[in-house]
């Protein structure tokens, strides 16, 4: 579909922007890594930053499964619950000290610009800790809806989280764009039938429609140009 022209201004068909949280809005990816690394060390599993890429965007239990697979361990469900709770305890200790300084550059400016344009803003995150993080960094008022690990069941790359976010803001998937830093999240957005802008490395996010290093590189004008390029 071509963007509509109104005067000499290109009108976007994008009406909703859905943001992943960890690694897009806030720099929590490092805390997830540190907490998983601590668990891996306790279990004598060699877990590297490269392995950590596979955990991004993936739910807590699915992340634990990946680490246990690396260590070739198969504990029963009760033990797995204990490991996941331990990791979360360490993770929460980090995020409970977060401040607005840890909001990634450009996020607030870009979201405010989108809001001024009447675009609805949602969060689409696998994290059950989303409410605490958003509160700690003082961003509650910027989101029209929050779809997170507390409301969805299926982990990315399943599209459930983004479909749920789109429903919450009342915008059809084809009029939504997702901002994601994880390969699994990019797949989830594509599976939802949404446009996806990768945040981070082109190598890792090659399936996204467009990739920028961070939201500080995004603007309303750039979003319009990206959409135009994709739809022409
Ligand atoms: C995602 C992170 O946003 O949330 C994953 O990218 C994480 O690394 C997942 O495992 C679940 O987070 P939480 O806070 O519910 O353990
Ligand atoms: Mg992420």
């Amino acid at each position: 579909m071509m963007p509509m022209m109104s005067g000499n201004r290109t009108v976007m068909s994008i009406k909703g922007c859905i943001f992943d949280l960890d690694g897009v809005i806030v720099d929590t990816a490092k805390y997830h890594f540190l907490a998983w690394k601590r668990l891996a060390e306790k279990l004598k599993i060699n877990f590297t930053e490269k392995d950590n890429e596979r955990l991004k965007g993936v739910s807590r239990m699915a992340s634990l499964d990946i680490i246990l697979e690396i260590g070739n361990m198969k504990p029963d469900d009760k033990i797995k619950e204990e490991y996941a709770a331990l990791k979360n305890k360490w993770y929460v200790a980090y995020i409970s000290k977060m401040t607005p300084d840890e909001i990634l550059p450009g996020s607030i400016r870009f979201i405010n610009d989108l809001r001024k344009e009447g675009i609805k803003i949602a969060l689409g995150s696998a994290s059950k800790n989303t409410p605490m993080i958003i509160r700690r960094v003082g961003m509650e008022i910027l989101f029209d809806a929050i779809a997170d690990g507390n409301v969805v069941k299926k982990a990315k790359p399943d599209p459930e989280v983004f479909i749920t976010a789109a429903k919450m803001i009342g915008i059809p998937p084809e009029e939504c764009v997702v901002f994601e830093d994880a390969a699994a999240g990019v797949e989830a957005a594509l599976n939802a039938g949404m446009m996806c802008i990768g945040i981070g490395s082109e190598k890792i996010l090659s399936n996204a429609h467009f990739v920028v290093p961070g939201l500080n590189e995004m603007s309303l004008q750039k979003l319009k140009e990206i959409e135009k390029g994709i739809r022409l």
Side-chain angles (χ1 to χ4, degrees), residues 36 55 57-64 126-127 153-156:
W36 283 126
L55 270 50
V58 173
S59 71
R60 196 180 304 166
M61 288 314 281
S63 298
L64 176 61
S127 175
K153 300 232 162 356
K154 296 185 202 139
K156 298 171 187 176

Side-chain angles (χ1 to χ4, degrees), residues 97-159:
K97 294 194 198 90
M98 282 180 81
T99 66
D101 289 350
E102 287 170 84
I103 298 172
L104 286 167
S107 314
I108 294 186
R109 173 200 46 78
F110 182 47
I111 291 174
N112 275 328
D113 287 353
L114 295 167
R115 289 176 66 88
K116 278 187 214 136
E117 195 79 354
I119 292 171
K120 295 277 181 204
I121 309 295
L123 260 182
S125 168
S127 175
K128 293 186 173 167
N129 291 300
T130 298
M132 183 200 275
I133 294 168
I134 290 301
R135 222 176 20 248
R136 286 292 317 165
V137 300
M139 285 182 86
E140 301 105 310
I141 51 157
L142 293 183
F143 298 99
D144 298 300
I146 293 180
D148 65 12
N150 300 296
V151 293
V152 298
K153 300 232 162 356
K154 296 185 202 139
K156 298 171 187 176
D158 189 281

Side-chain angles (χ1 to χ4, degrees), residues 7-8 16 32 38 68 72 76 78-79 100 102 115 136 141-142 148 158 165 173 180 184 191 199 213 222 224 227 230:
N8 61 359
H32 278 295
R38 189 166 166 190
L68 293 172
N72 210 9
D76 64 29
K78 193 171 161 282
I79 303 279
E102 287 170 84
R115 289 176 66 88
R136 286 292 317 165
I141 51 157
L142 293 183
D148 65 12
D158 189 281
E180 252 296 345
N191 289 336
I199 303 294
K222 186 151 181 178
K224 287 178 184 177
E227 188 194 11
I230 288 167

Side-chain angles (χ1 to χ4, degrees), residues 20-24 26 28-29 56-58 124-125 156 179-182:
D20 173 50
L21 175 67
D22 294 316
V24 172
V26 284
T28 40
K56 287 189 181 169
V58 173
S125 168
K156 298 171 187 176
F179 296 86
E180 252 296 345
D181 73 317

Side-chain angles (χ1 to χ4, degrees), residues 31-219:
Y31 298 139
H32 278 295
F33 176 67
L34 288 172
W36 283 126
K37 178 91 183 142
R38 189 166 166 190
L39 181 74
E41 273 164 12
K42 183 178 156 66
L43 302 179
K44 308 218 171 1
I45 296 173
N46 183 27
F47 174 63
T48 64
E49 288 210 43
K50 187 160 175 269
D51 296 325
N52 189 54
E53 276 308 315
R54 292 173 60 200
L55 270 50
K56 287 189 181 169
V58 173
S59 71
R60 196 180 304 166
M61 288 314 281
S63 298
L64 176 61
D65 283 338
I66 293 171
I67 292 176
L68 293 172
E69 184 202 294
I70 294 168
N72 210 9
M73 288 175 69
K74 287 192 178 65
D76 64 29
D77 285 354
K78 193 171 161 282
I79 303 279
K80 276 170 54 174
E81 289 293 343
E82 285 171 22
Y83 289 163
L86 201 52
K87 180 267 173 179
N88 195 53
K89 190 179 94 180
W90 293 326
Y91 179 66
V92 168
Y94 288 122
I95 60 171
S96 60
K97 294 194 198 90
M98 282 180 81
T99 66
D101 289 350
E102 287 170 84
I103 298 172
L104 286 167
S107 314
I108 294 186
R109 173 200 46 78
F110 182 47
I111 291 174
N112 275 328
D113 287 353
L114 295 167
R115 289 176 66 88
K116 278 187 214 136
E117 195 79 354
I119 292 171
K120 295 277 181 204
I121 309 295
L123 260 182
S125 168
S127 175
K128 293 186 173 167
N129 291 300
T130 298
M132 183 200 275
I133 294 168
I134 290 301
R135 222 176 20 248
R136 286 292 317 165
V137 300
M139 285 182 86
E140 301 105 310
I141 51 157
L142 293 183
F143 298 99
D144 298 300
I146 293 180
D148 65 12
N150 300 296
V151 293
V152 298
K153 300 232 162 356
K154 296 185 202 139
K156 298 171 187 176
D158 189 281
E160 186 188 5
V161 67
F162 295 135
I163 298 283
T164 304
K167 272 194 194 135
M168 284 173 158
I169 53 175
I171 309 287
E174 61 276 16
E175 292 177 7
C176 289
V177 55
V178 168
F179 296 86
E180 252 296 345
D181 73 317
V186 171
E187 294 312 315
L190 301 182
N191 289 336
M194 297 177 186
M195 181 176 142
C196 184
I197 299 185
I199 303 294
S201 139
E202 287 215 33
K203 226 167 92 189
I204 292 166
L205 307 171
S206 56
N207 287 344
H209 290 98
F210 199 86
V211 180
V212 291
L215 288 178
N216 54 335
E217 302 264 330
M218 279 307 303
S219 65

